């Protein structure tokens, strides 16, 4: 999906065309009513339209019809621009949804009637019920979401994830969930249906990106209240200005009271139309940005909450470390060279197919260029690992070479009359203390030295944690390791805290403790045993590769199954709020200049002395008012790209962010309209319209 | 302005800031039940609670708290209304003053219960000593204490977590009165008496004029009546409790209310004393004093700016007089500047400090006539009220008003740093925004709509004495003053009519209770929330940056709401005066 999505740019002519059409369709009163700020503008536009019609019909010389017409046209443009902003944001979502929908072509499913004999009947995918059992063979599309109960197969999930490499799905464990719309490439799977048609993961994803189920988030509601209050305030300011003006005309004995057209124009300029027009576009664009990072959120609320997260719980294995312990160092005993140790270790590991065993071979090869020798010549007898001896090795030419856990090998050589040299003993202790796992290599009764196995921390992870710390997020590593090992890895990875010897219950209670302390907890998980903790966490990102239970418990699914994706999610959440805040500030700051443009113009005849307030020295009263209205409409269009892209977030601490945004959007919001209105006024005069 | 003038401002600010910490700590201890005067006051408290059948351990939800407050205020209203209507037959009425008219009684009762102390009447010719003492002075104490109680309830909202209650109204009311207002007033009243403020139950005096004069009717006048009365006890609390209702009509410009430079200094200090110190109390009670200092800093910035405007415009004098060649420069012989409506003994600076302090705080007492200020001087006073009386503001009410603005500022700032907004660890949600919007919007709406009705209605226009924009300013000032519970008047407006008494009375009720209720609702909602611990992602609310933002929010909302109205009043008057 990421690939298809990135192709959808904001200047896609198709989307633009559709958005223009939608801008007009959205003029229906029912649609307008959803946004109180823009609804007020909508009513104002209707009023001036009537005033214009009236001015054409009457011959009484009042305001020029051309002036009323100009204001009316630009007020309608204000409404249309707001509609356009929303439509273009929705357009992006619709395009994503369309590309998803293509994969949801109707599928014929093979429903098993008898499990043991694999007899199946063909049914339509939409007729499947939860708990039905279906079989999917190579080349077929998985009809609905389900759980693999038998079989192993490679599945192409590119329709969902955009990732072309197939993934393995198998019964049991954490890789048992399959998604409707994905394709089995090899082998077969028997799947238990877990969701009804129309409610599958894919359906929910389509609904989300389309914004069909979009509900207002808590912060959005609070902001809408503030904006409605401001709109009401300005409505009062403008409405009371009429009696004030009538009274002023009465006492000054000159001029005419302010006209309705000017009042409506003033109101529209003062009302927070900039943010009001872009508010829903910002919300939709935020969700779109999230899906572009290949994360599907189940609600907008979760995305917003992501911006507030202050504790992040991460599984050690697979997230912080590569997941397997690997050999990192040979520590030879006194009188043994490192190469001798490496050769012996290599021999002892030759038949060891575990990741650890392979990593010893890899290390030996990398350090000394050792390769598998002609095994037939030396006729080795391999001794596999057993839980009893806790060693593995090789017997050849009457010699025994073993490698294994320190205590196990020590017992073995003592039985042969050998001993563990003091230096090796120290090395073993040091490796254990630094979080590694020591192995000892023996040659008959002689100890050759130790091998250090270590959990290898993923490259670049430390930097990401530092970034999180700057965002104000505390990272906590969760691991089943003992506290000593956990502490060492935690230090190496640069996490703030860790939970060692973690059980599902311990995880759950850790989350509850943090929440009791007032913190917002995010976690990522994939296993079924993560589900309770995922359900408890405020922001829970389930890996797409994870089990159905984990996906159900989470409120977001990461299609890439990349646990550090949370950093992007947090950024998107923060951007969403910041964009709203920045545009609100900008919108309110704009009002100052508009007052200076409109008030002197509106009262030019009653109180000529107020001309002193005309800081911009605008050409004429009519041009001043028209310029303010035009600026107010154009600024919406000018800010659409920012609303869609979002205000840039950098992890630099709250005070610094506020200072920057206040400077740009607060101070900028004060100054820009002075320049903009003056420029429009100059243009109008140049065109002879003023 | 002379160096002497700057020194007086400096002295005033130093004395004020010097009192903030000790009084702030004292009040924090009082409201936490650890008042140092406990030993002396406790028996009286017990007696009061027993008489009222009040269990002081019983905590109230915000709705119960609000209900108690409303009930208490309503009973107070009835008492003050009744006293005025019946004063002719009640004792302590040596001048045999008749009953006050129903509409004026209503207006005055509302005015004192709401801590506004707008006076449509003239004290010495209207109110008996009993009405002044038992009605007005009592309300001076308890309406102030009620404002402080609401503030304390709001502070509890910030400090408590998962709590369904915000304290006990009766306990807070009694503590504020007995521990804070009463002792301070006692001390101040005695000092004022020592300066010559009158305190007596005797009849008005008659004095023989040294130089008989001829009145307008052509009759020679040889004597002058001098109103006296129990003034000092009322003056002390009217200054300390941001009430402002003078014993005499000309308020603290009267030599019997404000006789000496020292009494003037102390009365000015008393205006801002408690509102400023409450900022410290706030910081102390929420456990982070820097939060209190930040709010005080925000208030001081706007106060100083307006003081500068007022001093500058008054000291500059009247351009119309300057054109006539009148010397308005300050010198050793004269204070210079615009002295119309000002006492020569106070001069420009002490009049300007008072006018700005009394309108910054919702006090409303005056030692000079604001109507006679230059347009910009009048603008400074009017705008300070229109900001919602949050620059120091009324005792309690000023700070809770400022906290409402802080909630709005935090909301906008919170969004801008990409986090759900929180203030002192409490998340600001839709409910808080709704209530904050109401608390800010309603007084603004009342000012705008009240002024609109007054300039539209015939009965409203009849009361306006002055022509041109100044007449408009008078009406605008009256509604700004009442809807924000200030109580000072621009004069030049015949406001003791049924029309103005009724409409201004309504404005006072809206400005008081329709702000208190949302504030208490916020308190209740916040108390029930958890407290989010501070982190690097949290927006700090004690920094200069936040102070700047808060100041900006207060100014922008105030400016955007009232700029058109002000443009048609003082602003255009200023330009016209300058242009002539």
């Amino acid at each position: 999906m990421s690939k298809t999505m990135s192709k959808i740019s904001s200047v896609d002519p198709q989307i633009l065309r559709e958005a223009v059409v939608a801008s007009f369709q959205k003029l229906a009163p029912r649609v307008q009513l959803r946004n109180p700020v823009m609804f007020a503008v909508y009513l104002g536009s209707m009023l001036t339209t009537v005033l214009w019609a009236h001015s054409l019909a009457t011959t009484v010389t009042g305001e020029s019809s051309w002036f009323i017409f100009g204001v009316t046209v630009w007020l309608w443009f204000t409404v249309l621009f707001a509609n356009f902003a929303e439509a273009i944001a929705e357009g992006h979502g619709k395009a994503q949804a369309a590309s998803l929908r293509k994969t949801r072509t109707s599928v014929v499913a093979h429903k098993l009637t008898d499990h043991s004999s694999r007899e199946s009947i063909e049914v339509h995918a939409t007729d499947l019920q939860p708990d039905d059992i279906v079989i999917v063979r190579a080349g077929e599309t998985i009809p609905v979401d389900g759980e693999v109960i038998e079989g192993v197969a490679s599945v192409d999930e590119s329709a969902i994830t955009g990732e072309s490499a197939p993934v393995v799905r198998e019964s049991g464990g954490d890789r048992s969930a399959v998604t409707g719309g994905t394709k089995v490439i090899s082998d077969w799977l028997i799947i238990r249906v877990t969701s009804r048609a129309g409610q599958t993961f894919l359906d929910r994803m389509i609904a989300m990106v389309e914004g069909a189920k979009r509900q207002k988030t808590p912060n959005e509601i609070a902001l809408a209240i503030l904006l409605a209050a401001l709109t009401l305030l300005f409505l009062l300011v403008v409405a009371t200005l009429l009696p004030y003006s009538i009274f002023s005309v009465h006492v000054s004995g000159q001029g005419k009271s302010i006209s309705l057209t000017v009042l409506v124009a003033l109101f529209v300029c003062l009302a927070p139309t900039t943010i009001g027009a872009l508010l829903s576009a910002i919300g939709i664009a935020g969700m779109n940005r999230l899906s572009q990072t290949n994360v599907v959120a189940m609600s907008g609320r979760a995305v917003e909450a992501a911006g507030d997260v202050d504790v992040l719980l991460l599984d050690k294995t697979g997230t912080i470390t590569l997941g397997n312990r690997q050999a990192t160092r040979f520590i030879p005993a006194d009188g043994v060279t490192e190469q001798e140790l490496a050769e012996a270790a290599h021999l002892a590991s030759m038949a060891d197919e575990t990741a650890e065993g392979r990593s010893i071979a890899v290390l030996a090869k990398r350090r000394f260029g050792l390769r598998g020798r002609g095994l037939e010549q030396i006729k080795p007898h391999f001794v596999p690992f057993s839980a009893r001896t806790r060693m593995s090795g090789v017997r050849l030419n009457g010699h025994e070479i073993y490698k294994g856990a320190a205590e196990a090998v020590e017992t073995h050589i003592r039985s042969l009359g050998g001993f563990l040299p003091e230096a090796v003993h120290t090395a073993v202790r040091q490796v254990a203390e630094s979080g590694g796992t020591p192995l000892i290599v023996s040659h008959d009764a002689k100890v050759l030295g130790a091998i250090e196995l270590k959990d290898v921390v993923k490259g670049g992870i430390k930097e990401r944690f530092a970034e999180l710390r700057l965002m104000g997020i505390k990272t906590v590593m969760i691991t089943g390791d003992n506290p000593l090992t956990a502490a060492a890895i935690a230090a190496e990875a640069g996490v703030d805290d860790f939970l060692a010897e973690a059980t599902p219950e311990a995880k759950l209670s850790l989350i509850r403790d943090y929440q009791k302390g007032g913190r917002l907890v995010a976690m990522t998980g994939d296993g079924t045993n993560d589900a309770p903790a995922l359900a408890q966490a405020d922001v829970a990102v389930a890996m797409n590769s994870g089990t159905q239970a984990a996906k159900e418990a989470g409120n977001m699914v990461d299609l890439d199954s990349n646990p550090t994706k949370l950093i992007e999610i947090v950024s998107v959440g923060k951007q969403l709020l910041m964009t709203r805040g920045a545009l609100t500030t900008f919108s309110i700051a704009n009002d100052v200049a508009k007052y200076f443009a409109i008030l002197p113009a509106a009262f030019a005849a009653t109180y000529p002395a107020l001309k002193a307030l005309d800081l911009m020295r605008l050409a004429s009263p009519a041009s001043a008012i028209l310029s303010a209205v035009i600026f107010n409409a154009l600024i919406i269009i000018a800010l659409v790209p920012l609303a869609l892209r979002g205000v840039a977030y950098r992890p630099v601490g709250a005070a610094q962010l506020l200072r920057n945004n206040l400077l740009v959007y607060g101070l900028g919001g004060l100054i820009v309209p002075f320049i903009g209105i003056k420029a429009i006024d100059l243009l109008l005069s140049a065109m002879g319209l003023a | 302005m002379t160096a002497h003038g700057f020194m007086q401002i400096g002295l005033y600010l130093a004395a004020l800031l010097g009192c903030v910490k000790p009084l702030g700590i004292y009040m924090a201890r009082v409201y936490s039940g650890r008042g140092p005067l406990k030993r002396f006051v406790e028996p009286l408290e017990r007696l009061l609670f027993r008489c009222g059948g009040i269990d002081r351990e019983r905590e109230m939800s915000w709705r119960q708290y609000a209900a108690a407050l409303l009930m208490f205020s309503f009973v107070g209203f009835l008492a003050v209304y009744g006293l005025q209507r019946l004063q002719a037959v009640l004792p302590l009425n040596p001048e045999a003053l008749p009953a006050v008219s129903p509409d004026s009684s209503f207006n005055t009762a509302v005015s004192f219960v709401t801590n506004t102390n707008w006076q449509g009447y003239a004290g010495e010719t209207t109110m008996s000593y009993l009405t002044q003492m038992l009605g007005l002075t009592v309300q001076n104490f308890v309406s102030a204490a009620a404002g402080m109680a609401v503030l304390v309830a709001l502070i509890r909202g910030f400090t408590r977590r998962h709590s369904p209650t915000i304290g006990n109204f009766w306990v807070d009311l009694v503590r504020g009165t007995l521990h804070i207002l009463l002792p301070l007033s006692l001390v101040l009243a005695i000092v004022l008496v020592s300066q010559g403020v009158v305190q007596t139950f005797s009849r008005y005096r008659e004095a023989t004029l040294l130089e008989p004069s001829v009145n307008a009717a052509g009759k020679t006048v040889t004597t002058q009546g001098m109103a006296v009365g129990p003034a000092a006890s009322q003056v002390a609390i009217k200054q300390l409790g941001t009430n402002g209702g003078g014993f005499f009509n000309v308020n603290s410009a009267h030599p019997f209310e404000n006789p000496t430079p020292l009494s003037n200094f102390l009365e000015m200090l008393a205006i801002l004393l408690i509102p400023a110190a409450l900022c410290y109390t706030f910081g102390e009670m929420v456990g982070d004093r820097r939060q209190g200092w930040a709010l005080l800093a925000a208030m001081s910035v706007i106060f100083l700016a307006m003081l500068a405007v007022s001093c500058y415009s008054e000291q500059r004098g009247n351009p119309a007089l300057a054109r006539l060649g009148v010397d308005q420069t300050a010198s050793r012989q004269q204070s210079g500047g615009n002295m119309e409506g000002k006492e020569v003994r106070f001069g420009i600076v002490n009049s300007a400090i008072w006018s700005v302090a009394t309108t910054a705080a919702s006090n409303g007492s005056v030692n000079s006539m604001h109507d006679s200020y230059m347009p910009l001087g009048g603008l400074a006073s009017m705008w300070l009220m229109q900001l919602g009386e949050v620059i120091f503001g009324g005792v309690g009410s000023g700070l809770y008003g400022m906290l409402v603005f802080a909630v709005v500022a935090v909301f906008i700032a919170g969004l801008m740093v990409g986090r759900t907004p929180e203030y002192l660890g409490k998340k600001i949600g839709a409910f808080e925004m709704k209530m904050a919007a109401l608390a800010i919007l309603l007084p603004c709406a009342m000012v705008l709509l009240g002024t609109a009705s007054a300039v539209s209605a015939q009965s409203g226009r009849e009361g306006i004495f002055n022509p041109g924009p100044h007449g408009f300013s008078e009406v605008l000032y009256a509604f700004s003053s009442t809807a924000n519970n200030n109580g000072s008047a621009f004069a030049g407006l015949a406001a003791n009519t049924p029309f103005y008494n009724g409409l201004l009375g309504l404005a006072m009720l809206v400005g008081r209770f329709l702000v208190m209720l949302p504030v208490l609702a916020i308190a209740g909602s916040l108390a029930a929330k958890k407290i989010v611990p501070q982190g690097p992602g949290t927006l700090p609310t004690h920094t200069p940056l936040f102070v700047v933002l808060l100041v900006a929010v207060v100014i922008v909302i105030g400016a955007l709401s009232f700029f058109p109205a002000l443009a048609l009043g003082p602003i255009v008057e200023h330009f016209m005066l300058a242009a002539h």
Side-chain angles (χ1 to χ4, degrees), chain A residues 219 221-223 225-226 229 232-234 236-237 240-241 243-248 250-251 307-310 469 471-472 515 517-520 574 577-578 581-582 585 588 591-592 595-596 599 603 607 609-610 612-613 653-655 657-659 661-662, chain B residues 408 411-413 415-421 427-430 433-434 437 441 444-445 447-449 451-452 455-456 461 464 468-469 471-472 530-534 536-540 545 549 556-557 559-561 563-565 567-568 571-572 575-576:
Chain A
N219 279 315
I221 293 170
L223 180 58
I225 289 169
L226 179 70
L232 200 62
L233 180 66
F234 291 126
L236 275 169
V237 169
T240 53
L241 199 52
Y244 296 172
S245 157
I246 294 171
F247 179 76
S248 298
H250 170 75
V251 293
D308 291 348
V309 159
D310 26 35
R469 202 165 300 120
M471 287 177 169
Q515 287 173 334
R519 298 190 181 275
L520 226 64
K574 284 191 182 292
L577 295 188
M578 281 169 54
T585 309
I588 297 171
D591 285 359
V592 175
Y595 264 139
F596 281 104
L599 279 187
F603 295 104
Y607 286 132
L610 280 180
L613 288 181
L657 269 180
L658 180 63
R659 190 172 314 126
N661 285 333
L662 266 184
Chain B
V408 174
F411 182 77
I412 293 174
L415 289 185
M416 270 197 288
V417 301
R419 243 175 106 90
T420 296
K427 290 220 158 142
I428 306 301
M433 277 319 286
K434 205 181 290 177
L441 194 62
C444 282
V447 175
L448 292 170
L449 291 172
T451 308
V455 298
S456 304
R461 287 187 181 188
I464 302 168
F472 181 76
K530 61 184 180 185
I531 294 179
V532 182
Q534 300 257 323
T538 321
L539 177 79
L545 182 67
L549 181 74
V556 163
I557 292 182
L560 294 182
S561 312
F563 191 65
L568 296 179
I571 294 177
V572 70
F575 287 127
M576 285 162 86

Side-chain angles (χ1 to χ4, degrees), chain B residues 324-517:
Chain B
L324 295 173
V326 177
D327 177 20
Q328 297 180 82
T329 50
S331 67
R332 294 182 75 86
Q333 275 72 42
Q334 63 170 23
S335 56
N338 170 38
M339 281 302 288
E340 182 194 311
K342 294 188 182 67
E343 285 280 285
V344 175
R345 59 203 176 100
F346 300 138
I348 296 291
V349 172
N350 277 305
S351 300
I353 298 177
W354 189 303
S355 78
V356 172
T358 197
T359 47
S362 79
N363 187 291
S365 64
V366 294
N367 74 349
S368 57
M369 295 304 123
H370 294 181
D371 193 30
S372 299
Y373 272 57
M374 297 307 298
L376 290 186
L379 173 83
S381 291
M382 207 184 301
W383 198 48
L384 278 168
M385 297 188 291
Q386 289 165 345
L387 293 181
E389 286 298 7
V390 297
I391 309 309
F392 297 106
V395 288
S397 62
L399 188 52
Y400 68 62
M402 193 54 146
L403 286 171
V404 168
F405 273 101
V407 163
V408 174
V410 155
F411 182 77
I412 293 174
L415 289 185
M416 270 197 288
V417 301
R419 243 175 106 90
T420 296
E422 59 201 45
Y423 188 42
L424 301 173
K426 296 284 190 175
K427 290 220 158 142
I428 306 301
F431 182 76
E432 287 78 22
M433 277 319 286
K434 205 181 290 177
M435 291 300 132
L438 281 179
I440 292 173
L441 194 62
L442 288 171
C444 282
M446 194 61 229
V447 175
L448 292 170
L449 291 172
T451 308
S453 0
V455 298
S456 304
Q458 186 56 36
S459 39
R461 287 187 181 188
E462 273 167 1
I464 302 168
F465 293 154
N466 284 66
H470 198 75
F472 181 76
S473 298
E474 284 163 358
V475 180
L476 182 63
Y477 193 102
F479 282 95
S480 303
S481 171
T482 48
N484 291 295
N485 298 134
N486 179 279
S488 70
F490 221 28
L493 182 69
N496 198 359
T497 62
F499 176 83
Y500 278 112
N501 277 333
L503 202 56
L504 294 173
L506 177 69
M508 291 187 270
L509 287 173
V510 167
R512 178 73 165 180
F513 297 110
L514 292 190
V515 176
M516 275 185 168
L517 289 181

Side-chain angles (χ1 to χ4, degrees), chain B residues 60-70 164-166 431 435 517 520-521 523-525:
Chain B
M60 295 173 166
S61 71
W62 79 263
R63 286 192 175 82
Q64 291 167 322
Y65 202 98
L69 171 86
L70 289 179
T165 60
I166 53 171
F431 182 76
M435 291 300 132
L517 289 181
L520 284 174
S525 161

